[in-house]
Amino acid sequence: MSRFAEPVFIAAGLRTPFGRGGGALANYDAVSLSVPVVQELAKRTEPDLTIWGTVIPNLGWSNIAREIWLDAKLNPNVPAFSVVLACSTSMTASFAAAGMLGGGLNLILVGGSEVMSRPSLALTAEASKQLTDLFAQDPAAALAALGALTPQDYVLPTKGWANRLTGRTMGDHMEETAKAWRISREAQDDWALKSHQRAVAGWDGGFFDDLVISLPELSRDANPRADTSAERLSGLKPAFDRESGMGSLTAGNSSPITDGAAGCWVSNEEGLKRLPDGTPYARIVDYEVSAVDLRTEGLLMAPSYAIPRLLARHHLGFADIALWEIHEAFAAQVLANVAAITDPNWVRQKAHVSAEMGNFDWDRVNPNGGSVAIGHPFGATGARDLSQAVKELWAMPVGSRGIVSICADGGQGTVALLERV
């Protein structure tokens, strides 16, 4: 059983190396950093449509997908449009693309980018209105008012991409969730260490060589640390809850500020024929988009609703999933979501799924590292996760299944079920 009348596939694409915030890629913007990725993918084969996204607002463009395509000096007759769903942006682009295939659209390029080092400075609605009114009436007074702006007049980045409704950051919310689910600091640090070790091993073993293009400023992900250790991680101070003495999220077990761009392919069977020989691909069997009430539930817990529903719809248990590619916004977020989906009472009460899922195998999760080590440029993470999962499944026997899961601001999440074909 599949969501789609005809088979739909995700094919591995390319991404930039992911750079540290304020580091080698900080002089790009989301458009210019995407251009080399899109150019290289289009060089391999021209898509019928491009869907791209970025999360941090910028007044310099309204449709980043089209801006990238034109800046890349590619065929102007190929249309492009943009999507946004916080950290799930480029995964959501893949779902949108999957539903559009057919009628002349056989191969769609999807992706996203973020230069978190260079967020646009945004003003509150009140400050913006005051300035625009003044410029219309008295430009000199408006210039004086510009000089009198205070930090409270700005939206970004002074509040660290806080949720608009709550005014609190993702880390602030995740601290509450970690405490609610009793996720220990030791467990978070242990998962963060595994993420770094696996990402470093993936690079050293050549896994990322055909997934990452080299840029003049950077040829390899800058965030994975070969020199990290349990001792180093345990020595870091809490990054969000610094007052209670119970804070457990640190810079070491949270995804870092990151710059990067990533793209992948969504295709039907006709489109697959246009991709270069040997391109890894997997069938999208189904997907789920979920949401929770962030005022009463954990902000990043929506995947724990989606995963049981998706598995139950296909009569699958945890043992039927050979690969779990779970976005690591925070180590605690991964641990809390898995704690939820492995609690039968919680699954029945919250996800309304009564099927037994069995035992969860942690050794099948993020075998080449996740966002804590690799980094998390908001708009790019979905395409990075999908390409990575597809390549990992490609090395497994036909019929192997994978789950790709991403949490997102606003109490939302996206989950895809993939199959090796």
Side-chain angles (χ1 to χ4, degrees), residues 78 230 233 246 258 271 375 390:
V78 174
L233 289 168
M246 300 175 62
T258 312
V390 165

Side-chain angles (χ1 to χ4, degrees), residues 13-14 19 26 40 61 102 121 126 132 158 172 179 229 246 254 277-278 308 310 319 351 354 363 391 416:
L14 292 171
E40 182 57 36
W61 54 71
L121 293 177
E126 294 80 5
T132 53
T158 56
D172 293 331
K179 292 178 177 68
S229 65
M246 300 175 62
S254 306
D277 291 343
L310 191 55
S354 58
D363 290 335
K391 184 173 179 183

Side-chain angles (χ1 to χ4, degrees), residues 43-77:
K43 187 187 303 181
R44 299 180 180 187
T45 187
E46 183 178 271
D48 302 317
L49 172 70
T50 296
I51 309 175
W52 209 264
T54 192
V55 177
I56 301 172
N58 190 303
L59 293 177
W61 54 71
S62 61
N63 180 4
I64 189 174
R66 186 61 172 169
E67 302 296 340
I68 292 165
W69 189 259
L70 295 178
D71 276 12
K73 296 180 172 55
L74 297 167
N75 180 1
N77 297 121

Side-chain angles (χ1 to χ4, degrees), residues 120-164:
S120 296
L121 293 177
L123 296 178
T124 63
E126 294 80 5
S128 179
K129 183 178 186 306
Q130 178 190 16
L131 286 171
T132 53
D133 287 348
L134 276 174
F135 271 112
Q137 300 165 10
D138 188 345
L143 290 173
L146 275 172
L149 290 172
T150 69
Q152 287 69 39
D153 294 316
Y154 292 94
V155 179
L156 290 174
T158 56
K159 295 183 180 179
W161 301 287
N163 176 271
R164 186 195 65 83

Side-chain angles (χ1 to χ4, degrees), residues 37-373:
V37 174
V38 171
Q39 284 177 326
E40 182 57 36
L41 287 168
K43 187 187 303 181
R44 299 180 180 187
T45 187
E46 183 178 271
D48 302 317
L49 172 70
T50 296
I51 309 175
W52 209 264
T54 192
V55 177
I56 301 172
N58 190 303
L59 293 177
W61 54 71
S62 61
N63 180 4
I64 189 174
R66 186 61 172 169
E67 302 296 340
I68 292 165
W69 189 259
L70 295 178
D71 276 12
K73 296 180 172 55
L74 297 167
N75 180 1
N77 297 121
V78 174
F81 71 90
S82 303
V83 299
V84 61
L85 200 167
C87 307
S88 293
T89 288
S90 50
M91 190 182 202
T92 304
S94 74
F95 298 163
M100 296 177 71
L101 290 170
L105 296 179
N106 299 315
L107 184 65
I108 302 176
L109 175 60
V110 304
S113 57
E114 216 76 56
V115 178
M116 298 175 71
S117 297
R118 290 181 59 187
S120 296
L121 293 177
L123 296 178
T124 63
E126 294 80 5
S128 179
K129 183 178 186 306
Q130 178 190 16
L131 286 171
T132 53
D133 287 348
L134 276 174
F135 271 112
Q137 300 165 10
D138 188 345
L143 290 173
L146 275 172
L149 290 172
T150 69
Q152 287 69 39
D153 294 316
Y154 292 94
V155 179
L156 290 174
T158 56
K159 295 183 180 179
W161 301 287
N163 176 271
R164 186 195 65 83
L165 185 66
T166 68
R168 304 170 65 220
T169 68
M170 307 300 103
D172 293 331
H173 279 275
M174 197 62 229
E175 273 285 8
E176 283 187 352
T177 303
K179 292 178 177 68
W181 284 93
R182 299 180 182 178
I183 307 297
S184 70
R185 166 72 183 269
E186 291 74 21
Q188 294 174 54
D189 287 349
D190 179 64
W191 188 256
L193 180 60
K194 285 184 173 69
S195 187
H196 280 277
Q197 290 172 335
R198 293 172 180 179
V200 169
W203 272 105
D204 291 346
F207 174 82
F208 292 104
D209 288 355
D210 58 356
L211 295 178
V212 180
I213 61 172
S214 180
L215 296 177
E217 302 84 355
L218 195 65
S219 59
R220 177 170 170 153
D221 292 331
N223 290 306
R225 295 181 179 271
D227 61 349
T228 196
S229 65
E231 292 73 24
R232 288 192 175 191
L233 289 168
S234 67
L236 296 174
K237 295 180 179 180
F240 300 99
D241 178 1
R242 300 170 179 169
E243 305 297 332
S244 74
M246 300 175 62
S248 60
L249 273 68
T250 71
N253 58 41
S254 306
S255 60
I257 300 297
T258 312
D259 304 327
C264 61
W265 302 101
V266 177
S267 174
N268 58 20
E269 290 179 327
E270 283 300 310
L272 283 182
K273 298 173 184 177
R274 290 159 50 187
L275 292 174
D277 291 343
T279 300
Y281 63 90
R283 184 168 68 97
I284 309 177
V285 178
D286 200 355
Y287 65 84
E288 182 92 9
V289 180
S290 57
V292 301
D293 185 345
L294 60 90
R295 292 162 294 197
T296 59
E297 302 271 4
L299 181 75
L300 303 180
M301 291 297 290
S304 63
Y305 283 60
I307 291 170
R309 292 170 181 167
L310 191 55
L311 293 177
R313 196 151 64 236
H314 295 271
H315 308 290
L316 300 172
F318 297 142
D320 297 309
I321 305 303
L323 170 72
W324 297 84
E325 195 68 42
I326 303 177
H327 163 49
E328 300 168 351
F330 305 91
Q333 170 259 320
V334 178
L335 297 169
N337 273 278
V338 175
I341 66 174
T342 54
D343 180 344
N345 291 328
W346 191 94
V347 170
R348 279 194 295 271
Q349 294 168 10
K350 298 291 187 177
H352 306 296
V353 170
S354 58
E356 293 293 329
M357 299 293 173
N359 296 320
F360 188 87
D361 188 348
W362 280 99
D363 290 335
R364 300 180 181 186
V365 181
N366 297 358
N368 288 283
S371 299
V372 163

